[in-house]
Amino acid sequence: MRAAVSYGERQVEYSVSINDQLTDRVRIHVHPNGSVEVESPAGKSDADIAKAILKRARWIDTNLRQFERLREHSLPRQYVSGETHFYLGRRYQLKVIDGVRGASCVRMKGGRIHVELPHADPAAIKRRLNAWYKSRATSYFEDRLNEISSGIRWVDTPPPVKLVKMKKQWGSCSPSGSVYLNPMLIKAPRECVDYVIVHELCHLMEHNHSKRFYSLLQTHCPNWQHVKSKLDGMAELLLAE
């Protein structure tokens, strides 16, 4: 369900999904793309949900303004010091250190992502940073796939994972049973990475988006709808280059 309320000059549009684990209060999420999501207990009226939105309208407006500023200053990427980049859902400032003798490197230090190289060329910085993301993704995705697979009955052996850069997708599953993941998914929160992995592992049993597929997904990732909304809401920032 989609609805809207007015707060000052802003029209706050929001989507509503039912969360059976909630018993009383609604949960409100503001995502980086400007979407507002409401998780509601079953039985809440539209009026009650709208009232909850209005009660937190100031907080929603503040978050929307913050994300608007973030999108304005982070797109497109310039690959210069001070720019914000994501890793496992957290924002880190980029620090470019040029004039380095020897091999270039990327490392996390003091809450920043340091890119050290001989010359501060944006194209070179981008290549180094993307290679670092890919390396981190290879290790992290494999660990999470092995861990998650151990709890899924139809997966006897964890399938091979292949990293493939995609413009709009986070993952896919081939008929032969290989799981393909977008290396830029490593920028997303941990729960989003797990959701995508579970999604693709469910395709090993159901190769479509049938009711049975979503039943499997619900069983192994009960809050998948909220996590998907969160990931969709961050997509613009996470995929930006």
Side-chain angles (χ1 to χ4, degrees):
M1 184 193 86
R2 296 195 63 84
V5 298
S6 296
Y7 176 72
E9 297 182 355
R10 186 186 291 276
Q11 188 80 351
V12 179
E13 297 184 0
Y14 58 93
S15 63
V16 180
S17 61
I18 302 301
N19 185 336
D20 292 328
Q21 296 180 341
L22 299 179
T23 58
D24 184 23
R25 297 182 179 181
V26 302
R27 291 177 182 170
I28 302 172
H29 310 277
V30 180
H31 298 304
N33 68 344
S35 63
V36 179
E37 177 199 5
V38 179
E39 291 184 276
S40 171
K44 280 281 185 183
S45 69
D46 295 347
D48 286 338
I49 294 172
K51 184 177 179 180
I53 288 287
L54 286 171
K55 187 175 181 180
R56 301 197 66 191
R58 183 175 180 180
W59 174 84
I60 293 170
D61 182 68
T62 298
N63 278 271
L64 287 172
R65 291 179 186 276
Q66 288 176 346
F67 285 130
E68 286 164 1
R69 289 195 295 270
L70 179 61
R71 292 199 303 274
E72 179 183 348
H73 293 297
S74 65
L75 302 176
R77 300 291 189 193
Q78 300 295 321
Y79 296 94
V80 295
S81 291
E83 197 171 57
T84 298
H85 288 260
F86 286 85
Y87 177 69
L88 288 176
R90 290 185 59 190
R91 291 195 295 266
Y92 293 86
Q93 275 196 340
L94 178 66
K95 183 173 182 179
V96 178
I97 303 172
D98 63 351
V100 174
R101 295 183 179 181
S104 301
C105 70
V106 180
R107 56 180 176 162
M108 300 185 74
K109 182 179 179 182
R112 296 181 180 182
I113 299 176
H114 288 215
V115 179
E116 303 175 10
L117 71 177
H119 303 287
D121 173 57
I125 296 167
K126 178 180 177 180
R127 287 195 301 271
R128 301 295 187 276
L129 193 56
N130 283 345
W132 178 80
Y133 276 128
K134 188 173 182 178
S135 175
R136 288 281 182 132
T138 298
S139 175
Y140 186 78
F141 293 169
E142 183 176 338
D143 287 346
R144 292 308 301 148
L145 184 73
N146 290 339
E147 176 68 23
I148 293 169
S149 296
S150 67
I152 297 181
R153 58 179 173 77
W154 61 85
V155 181
D156 296 323
T157 303
V161 178
K162 301 179 181 180
L163 299 186
V164 178
K165 203 166 183 180
M166 312 175 206
K167 290 185 178 181
K168 296 182 179 181
Q169 288 180 273
W170 295 112
S172 65
C173 181
S174 72
S176 64
S178 293
V179 170
Y180 297 87
L181 296 176
N182 191 328
M184 294 301 101
L185 180 62
I186 195 65
K187 298 180 182 182
R190 297 173 190 271
E191 63 179 335
C192 295
V193 176
D194 285 359
Y195 153 70
V196 173
I197 290 174
V198 172
H199 183 111
E200 301 312 329
L201 290 177
C202 287
H203 277 311
L204 295 177
M205 177 63 75
E206 292 291 324
H207 296 288
N208 49 40
H209 289 102
S210 63
K211 288 184 179 179
R212 177 168 168 74
F213 168 82
Y214 285 110
S215 177
L216 293 174
L217 184 60
Q218 183 71 30
T219 298
H220 293 280
C221 188
N223 65 335
W224 72 268
Q225 290 175 303
H226 162 60
V227 179
K228 181 180 183 301
S229 293
K230 185 175 185 177
L231 183 58
D232 289 345
M234 299 184 73
E236 182 184 7
L237 293 177
L238 300 182
L239 294 172
E241 291 191 289

